[in-house]
Amino acid sequence: MEKTVKVGLLGLGVVGTGVLEILADHQEKIKKSIGASLVVSKALIRPGEDKSALAKKYNLELVTELEAILADPEIAIVVEVMGRIEPARTFIKKALLSGKHVVTANKDLLAQYGSELVDLARDQQRNLYYEASVAGGIPILRTIANSLAADDITEVLGIVNGTTNYMLTKMVQEHRTYEETLKEAQELGFAESDPTNDVDGIDAAYKMVILSKFAFGMTVTMDQVKIKGIRGLAAEDVSMADRLGYTVKLIGSTIKKDDSISVEVGPVLVAHHHPLASIHNEMNAVFIKSSGIGESMYYGPGAGSRPTATSIVADLMTIVNKMKKNTVGHRFTGYTQPTKITPPTENISKYFLSLEMPDEHGQFLKLAEIMSQAEVGFEQVVQEKGDGAHARVVLITHATSETKLATIQQAIKEKTKYKLLSLMKVMGE
Amino acid sequence: MEKTVKVGLLGLGVVGTGVLEILADHQEKIKKSIGASLVVSKALIRPGEDKSALAKKYNLELVTELEAILADPEIAIVVEVMGRIEPARTFIKKALLSGKHVVTANKDLLAQYGSELVDLARDQQRNLYYEASVAGGIPILRTIANSLAADDITEVLGIVNGTTNYMLTKMVQEHRTYEETLKEAQELGFAESDPTNDVDGIDAAYKMVILSKFAFGMTVTMDQVKIKGIRGLAAEDVSMADRLGYTVKLIGSTIKKDDSISVEVGPVLVAHHHPLASIHNEMNAVFIKSSGIGESMYYGPGAGSRPTATSIVADLMTIVNKMKKNTVGHRFTGYTQPTKITPPTENISKYFLSLEMPDEHGQFLKLAEIMSQAEVGFEQVVQEKGDGAHARVVLITHATSETKLATIQQAIKEKTKYKLLSLMKVMGE
């Protein structure tokens, strides 16, 4: 094999620049480890972009046509760091068809067109790696595919969105409001000016689709994921949860029950002593329950140019190792199972309900009757002293099904004067 | 390749039995993932041991001579789960020389004779894997070797002994004494009747030797590790540390400074907000600082038959994948560097000192003078109300070198009436 493996970079933003930095900083260690140098020889930029300083610094050729990379026989691996679906999807397909191996960090693309790309890579006998697409600095896909391959995973719970975790940390620790923390996250550059993908749970949902594939071999579509964000989450509910012994976290979960799974994203009450409750600020973590190992957790930065680039370079090194042995080898997703989603009647959880109650006699009795009829018990109830006209009552139910919870919600609306302010799952037995 | 890969098991204790269980429980998933069945066909036991029930249940042949396994051409991989140095070391060498691949969970052996075995495996072109030797349920070796291969690690901090972590958790949370928690750990089966290896930090030191090899490519001997255990740790110091904002943990550390490393095991004050402070009970965790990813942490069970066996089976699957491609491939320890230990003058840390002081005027002034002469400042000082004759004073220093600290220790002994009760490192800036 050549002593130098050449790489074509699609996109030269912060992550692309990070890849150049990591390759430059660690070239000696990389060479020692894989017995070859990894060099980015060409980078695709948009016409009009000025990246000449970078090109000079890292000694690479800038091109504005994909063809210039695909037609270059010296380039063995293409790294896609443009983001979004198109043209990334088309470019990756063309690269695989041209015989290039591919590394990408594109979670949106993988979540929506992962199967298509994985199938194409297999047909073309090319490697397709995408560790950086889920929790940038955490090698979670590799860990599930290798170390947990002999295990039977039952739950994957993730704090996989750094922006919302930063916001929730500030809301809990500094008793700030949703609006204040969102503003701060935007000022710090964690949250984009349009924070929809973060705060509405969409970004986390993409990652849970990919994790579901790895953990359970099932191909889940975005519309099969129950998604709830943290938009408008009340500071009162966050501090009430804290008083009851829980930290509110945006949790992405994919949970297996018999032969079906339930994939969700939403704010969840996590018990203070649970390892996920200690994941602060913009950090990410993935917590796994499995029959062999039991409980394990993997913690690290979820984003950032250097962590993401480090993950991409680790993928590049894996591919070079495979090239050396002339094998394509296992792509991450060898394990497949028929996809089956747990029905709402079987989806069991405890719930946190926050209700605004009129200061009027008899209302609590009605609530108790509704719960009793649905055969759902209270585990904790807190009623705060009201302002004379209104008061807030907060309760945590015993474990119940989604179906029963919907009945309760409906009954509260129809039969009582309570207003449901907030509804969150509570993790644990 | 054969559709069934046969395995010989050396030792049939709890971990060996765990391997049989995991292979039986997950045989379908394993077959799907590696395209072959993994079957233990023979197990080596001591003459006189009665394991006939196990043999019958798992349909395997019991042998009392190693030769019966080595001479069996159908056995491709040998799993060593006997523990201790001999005869494990001799048996593994013979297995490699007979052309078998080897998986072992033997940390004592790896820490002391790892290089010898790794070299022999390379000469014989056979795979030698030992993920389960460090933090049984945490795939930390694999993660360092693969995912962090493109990164530059500067620190590895581990809670890698479950027994002592259980004891410390109880001391902190339930304000119990060292003796009480040791007794409880023994009753629960975490600690052996002779707890030396655990409480004196030896077990953790073995693991740090192996981690140093992976993180920094350096071969450290046990006498190069500074080892301090938790034997006799005072409950008062644990709760004083808590009051000052720290949790006492037994930390194994291997830290790089320029081109040298310092490998230590000892009780350390970890700030409450640090992720390692939340690792409770018998769980283990390894925290890594690196230039690319930044901070990452890997959490899971450190021992137990099923987690350890799951790790062993993951190693078996990796070997089968390599056998399928007819490659021996990378053993874990491709990366080597000359070993260099940081001198005490360069080994910088903050320290926690707990002193018993006579209730006598002028002593504190002497202490302040000693510190001032050594140019080491106080960061926090707490003096508790004494009983009239004695009082306890606790202080945390600013960062200083091991050399200066030794000077201070000596001066306190010679020039004051203080008695040094306890001395621990304090983690962090």
Side-chain angles (χ1 to χ4, degrees), chain B residues 255-321:
Chain B
I255 295 176
K256 193 175 181 187
K257 200 175 171 186
D258 302 323
D259 59 348
S260 69
I261 63 171
S262 174
V263 191
E264 303 186 24
V265 171
V268 169
L269 272 68
V270 179
H272 285 327
H273 59 77
H274 191 283
L276 283 172
S278 324
I279 309 306
H280 301 310
N281 299 318
E282 74 279 17
M283 297 303 274
N284 281 14
V286 179
F287 180 88
I288 293 182
K289 252 195 199 167
S290 60
S291 73
I293 287 182
E295 300 189 341
S296 55
M297 188 176 80
Y298 310 89
Y299 162 93
S305 62
R306 282 182 73 87
T308 306
T310 301
S311 231
I312 288 171
V313 173
D315 279 354
L316 284 172
M317 292 170 72
T318 302
I319 291 179
V320 174
N321 276 329

Side-chain angles (χ1 to χ4, degrees), chain B residues 44-294:
Chain B
L44 178 72
I45 57 170
R46 282 189 300 273
E49 264 190 305
D50 181 14
K51 298 284 180 182
S52 52
L54 272 179
K56 197 174 162 204
K57 182 170 178 191
Y58 293 105
N59 190 30
L60 57 87
E61 188 185 335
L62 298 174
V63 301
T64 53
E65 296 290 333
L66 179 67
E67 199 45 39
I69 287 174
L70 301 190
D72 184 340
E74 291 197 341
I75 290 180
I77 314 176
V78 164
V79 173
E80 183 273 311
V81 283
M82 301 183 297
R84 316 261 165 122
I85 303 295
E86 285 297 351
R89 178 184 171 205
T90 306
F91 285 9
I92 289 177
K93 284 161 79 175
K94 283 190 179 168
L96 290 168
L97 288 167
S98 307
K100 313 296 186 195
H101 304 283
V102 173
V103 177
T104 170
N106 195 325
K107 59 184 171 300
D108 315 30
L109 181 59
L110 264 304
Q112 295 177 70
Y113 300 97
S115 299
E116 171 190 282
L117 299 177
V118 167
D119 289 349
L120 180 60
R122 190 181 42 240
D123 291 346
Q124 293 294 313
Q125 287 287 299
R126 284 298 169 266
N127 289 292
L128 171 65
Y129 277 79
Y130 44 91
E131 182 64 70
S133 64
V134 180
I138 309 177
I140 189 64
L141 302 184
R142 200 182 290 264
T143 297
I144 295 177
N146 297 329
S147 306
L148 292 162
D151 205 345
D152 190 19
I153 297 175
T154 52
E155 283 187 24
V156 179
L157 306 174
I159 294 176
V160 288
N161 180 274
T163 306
T164 47
N165 200 48
Y166 178 85
M167 290 170 61
L168 289 170
T169 302
K170 295 292 165 188
M171 285 179 78
V172 173
Q173 290 179 350
E174 299 171 12
H175 307 288
R176 319 250 305 274
T177 66
Y178 171 85
E179 289 74 19
E180 286 165 0
T181 59
L182 174 59
K183 192 156 166 272
E184 192 184 319
Q186 285 170 328
E187 282 166 5
L188 287 168
F190 293 146
E192 313 211 12
S193 54
D194 175 4
T196 304
N197 268 13
D198 291 326
V199 300
D200 288 344
I202 298 162
D203 173 81
Y206 286 140
K207 292 162 182 170
M208 295 319 294
V209 166
I210 301 172
L211 285 170
S212 298
K213 179 74 181 163
F214 275 72
F216 304 117
M218 295 192 195
T219 303
V220 174
T221 56
M222 280 293 279
D223 57 8
Q224 289 175 312
V225 185
K226 281 174 219 139
I227 309 175
K228 227 175 105 177
I230 62 161
R231 198 187 282 268
L233 184 69
E236 291 85 346
D237 289 324
V238 171
S239 51
M240 185 57 83
D242 193 40
R243 272 177 53 190
L244 297 175
Y246 298 93
T247 306
V248 178
K249 291 288 184 191
L250 183 70
I251 299 289
S253 60
T254 179
I255 295 176
K256 193 175 181 187
K257 200 175 171 186
D258 302 323
D259 59 348
S260 69
I261 63 171
S262 174
V263 191
E264 303 186 24
V265 171
V268 169
L269 272 68
V270 179
H272 285 327
H273 59 77
H274 191 283
L276 283 172
S278 324
I279 309 306
H280 301 310
N281 299 318
E282 74 279 17
M283 297 303 274
N284 281 14
V286 179
F287 180 88
I288 293 182
K289 252 195 199 167
S290 60
S291 73
I293 287 182

Side-chain angles (χ1 to χ4, degrees), chain A residues 2-178:
Chain A
E2 297 292 326
K3 282 280 176 206
T4 298
V5 176
K6 292 195 175 165
V7 175
L9 201 54
L10 312 186
L12 206 44
V14 285
V15 175
T17 308
V19 171
L20 297 174
E21 278 172 24
I22 297 286
L23 285 177
D25 290 357
H26 303 150
Q27 52 181 321
E28 206 182 329
K29 190 177 175 192
I30 292 170
K31 204 171 173 176
K32 267 193 190 170
S33 172
I34 60 173
S37 298
L38 269 167
V39 170
V40 174
S41 60
K42 288 182 181 165
L44 178 71
I45 57 171
R46 281 188 302 270
E49 264 189 304
D50 181 14
K51 297 285 181 183
S52 51
L54 271 179
K56 199 175 161 205
K57 181 170 178 191
Y58 293 104
N59 190 29
L60 56 88
E61 187 185 334
L62 297 174
V63 301
T64 53
E65 295 290 334
L66 178 67
E67 199 46 37
I69 287 175
L70 300 190
D72 184 339
E74 291 197 340
I75 291 179
I77 315 176
V78 165
V79 173
E80 182 273 312
V81 283
M82 302 185 297
R84 315 258 166 126
I85 303 294
E86 284 298 348
R89 178 184 170 204
T90 306
F91 285 9
I92 289 176
K93 285 161 78 175
K94 283 189 178 167
L96 290 169
L97 289 167
S98 305
K100 313 294 186 197
H101 303 283
V102 173
V103 177
T104 171
N106 195 325
K107 61 185 169 300
D108 313 31
L109 181 59
L110 263 304
Q112 294 177 71
Y113 299 97
S115 298
E116 171 189 281
L117 298 177
V118 167
D119 289 349
L120 180 59
R122 190 181 41 239
D123 291 348
Q124 294 294 313
Q125 287 286 297
R126 284 298 169 266
N127 289 292
L128 171 66
Y129 277 81
Y130 44 91
E131 182 64 70
S133 64
V134 180
I138 309 176
I140 189 66
L141 301 184
R142 201 183 289 263
T143 298
I144 295 177
N146 297 329
S147 305
L148 292 162
D151 206 344
D152 189 20
I153 297 175
T154 52
E155 283 187 23
V156 179
L157 306 173
I159 294 177
V160 288
N161 180 273
T163 307
T164 47
N165 200 47
Y166 178 85
M167 292 170 60
L168 289 170
T169 303
K170 296 291 165 189
M171 286 179 77
V172 173
Q173 290 179 350
E174 300 171 11
H175 307 288
R176 319 249 306 274
T177 66
Y178 170 86

